[in-house]
Amino acid sequence: MINYFSGKLNYKAILLSFLIFPFYNAKAQVKTDETKMNEFVKNLMSKMTLDEKIGQLNLVTAGGQSKTGSVVNEGIEGGIKKGEIGGIFGIWGTNYIRKAQEIAVKNSRLHIPLIFGLDVIHGHRTIFPVPLGMSATWDMSLIEHSAQIAASEASAEGINWVFSPMVDIARDPRWGRISEGSGEDPWYGSQVARAMVQGYQGGNMKKADAVMACVKHFALYGGAEAGREYNTVDMSLIKMYQDYLPPYKAAVDAGAGSFMSSFNTVNGMPATANQWLLTNLLRKQWGFKGFVVSDYTAVNELTNHGLGDLQTVSALALKAGLDMDMVGEGFLNTLKKSLKEGKVTQFEIDQACRRVLEGKYKLGLFDNPYKSISEEREKHEEMTNDNLSFARKIAEHSFVLLKNADQTLPLKKSGTIALVGPLADNHSEMLGTWVVAGDPAKSVSVMEGIKNVAGNNVNILYARGSNITEDSLLGARSYFFGLKQLKDSRPPQEMIDEAVETAKKADVVVAVVGESANMSGESSSRSDINIPESQRDLLKALSKTGKPLVIVLFNGRPLTLTWEDKHASAILDAWAPGTEAGNAIADVLFGNYNPAGKITATFPRSVGQIPIYYNYKNTGRPFKVGDAAKFKSDYLDISNDPLYPFGYGLSYTTFNYGDIKLNKTSLKGNETLTATVTVTNTGKYAGEEVVQLYIGDPVASISRSVKELKNYQKISLQPGEKKDVVFNITTQDLKFYNEQLKYDWEPGQFIVQIGPNSSDTHLAPVRWLK
């Protein structure tokens, strides 16, 4: 080493260093991060026993921390010390996680740190709208920032792995987990998947406020038959590649660190033991370099799928490419025996172990096992004013105005309002489904929000009106993990009568109704997706008073709202808005924010239309309005059209779309088509509009969707202001998976469509040759 300072400057030494350094640097082996990781993991694995390698594949749940106060149970503590556990999920908080990590780092033979996972689905302590609601913002910067805040809050407590985002495409609103995704469109779902992964992981997972994303559920989970949870999925490869797989691929391209296998079958083989899915597609075709964990006991459940006993199915899952077994301990208890019997190889065990250790390395856990555990951050960086302000903002932006007859909304900040409904003065249902660490008691109720926003000139009269449901079966199955419906013991008619009398004294009625938090989410499929009957009875009685009726809707899925659409004056879909629910709802009701949300899943008129989605394919006998109905693809008793189409959402103002202007009507090869439309705010309020671009491919080598979303722009306009919205279209926007599953485009005519939703568009044809 050259001593540059030895009392006086050594100029010869300095000159010599400049002369030889370039040559030295050129010859030196520059170790990339990946090289360093590979060397580290290889060295560590050379010291590990077979039992310790298998232990890294074992993910357990501690469970019950809030009830018992213990960090982990006795059996788990022993397993950590023996190196039989690679990760834990289900605990949070710095105190719990630090103690659990200390057991691994200080008491296991090789001091390998644990990875700590948690269901952080739409926020950690600060809760944002359910993902289906967030997707209605059509704002990737908001969605990404929600993930950043969730990562920051969760990581402060030591969580370094979140089981999110759920990117499953869903076209059946009977399926409860539609609430956890981004709706029905693969292109839009891909944008959300990318934003969520980037928000969680940032540019460097070693940072203290970053976490590893776990993309779920791979794959096709949202295609469950009959919308019934955990049910069979069976679809063509073209449908799979074109409509369901793109968001997973987008997450891989965004650098997602881990994937979670799904419960369902794919091509007849359960995903958790599907080598084509986990190895050929995910790793070989897409280049995924992270690890794959099973869903909860999914390895054990392979037995119910008919694939064999626990030892057999554990071997199948490992050989397929599954790296980590959640809870079931099939890997832990059978792989050693399977290795001796030749049912698995040492290479397969090592490969899975290496992938799990690489995940921990990428998180920086070998550098500092306690890297993000910070009591100071936990105390000062959770549920901050900034976080709550953002929660309020993203909730406002997620709301969708479904109806607004006679400009009923926004409400005046004067007069008398009758506030009714079982969700109007309720904290327990504000957060929505799959909230693990959020505290409902810290949420803002609709009653509180209206009082905060409306001011002293508004007189609020409250009546509960009904319970969420009087159906004992629905009520019992909608509440679990010790939760209970907050029920009023009075007879239903007595509550309705009280609400009607309250409404008669008011200028306008605001009815806050819909689903409870856990009427959607996992294991919450519904065959009837109406508002529960007890609340519909309330709405019918309120409608008869003749007072303007504003429905504020809580829901985790599209509902059938034909009666409500016909009889209510206004309907505001608030989804499940999160911690700042009441404040955000009040901001929109009173016009502090003009709603601009657009739905990302079609609302049917009837469950008989399901599955229903905008990008359907034509049949040989398509029905068109005005045609004779017989022997056409339609229903005898209902329209084919949905109640609210994909991309739909109103505003307090109105927007006019001009005709589409194309820079060319005939193109060749890799030219770029420019499509321009002038959008004008023709109303009285400043507002935002989501301008949507669709493309149709009417003649192709296979039957194609009638249209597909290809882009959008969200613009803001003052009253009277107009803006030219320009879309640049390339051949990349024309590509699809053909019969050979080749992703390519074909020459011919295309229909460019631009509008405020998927049904109301302006059209412009263009011819594009190779």
Side-chain angles (χ1 to χ4, degrees), residues 184-260:
E184 69 191 46
D185 183 74
W187 182 88
Y188 185 76
S190 297
Q191 314 310 306
V192 176
R194 187 177 298 110
M196 292 292 288
V197 170
Q198 292 170 344
Y200 285 134
Q201 297 185 172
N204 180 3
M205 284 190 283
K206 290 187 176 183
K207 291 173 59 178
D209 61 353
V211 296
M212 179 180 286
C214 186
V215 179
K216 62 185 188 183
H217 305 84
F218 194 62
L220 320 183
Y221 190 38
E225 290 182 352
R228 196 173 74 239
E229 186 67 82
Y230 317 124
N231 204 10
T232 300
V233 174
D234 194 3
M235 66 177 66
S236 70
L237 285 170
I238 287 179
K239 186 174 184 179
M240 190 187 303
Y241 273 81
Q242 187 70 30
D243 298 327
Y244 282 80
L245 291 178
Y248 306 110
K249 175 63 162 57
V252 171
D253 293 342
S258 65
F259 264 59
M260 182 184 293

Side-chain angles (χ1 to χ4, degrees), residues 160-180:
N160 37 51
W161 185 28
V162 296
F163 301 145
S164 174
M166 192 197 93
V167 303
D168 305 311
I169 294 299
R171 294 169 164 181
D172 191 331
R174 294 173 298 182
W175 188 55
R177 299 196 84 167
I178 194 172
S179 63
E180 295 179 54

Side-chain angles (χ1 to χ4, degrees), residues 100-142:
Q101 191 69 291
E102 284 177 349
I103 297 172
V105 174
K106 294 181 178 181
N107 296 291
S108 67
R109 187 178 74 90
L110 293 177
H111 319 294
I112 299 173
L114 298 167
I115 187 171
F116 293 94
L118 195 68
D119 282 294
V120 178
I121 309 301
H122 49 111
H124 180 57
R125 298 290 188 178
T126 306
I127 305 302
F128 309 115
V130 291
L132 186 63
M134 280 200 286
S135 73
T137 64
W138 293 67
D139 191 323
M140 294 306 120
S141 63
L142 291 180

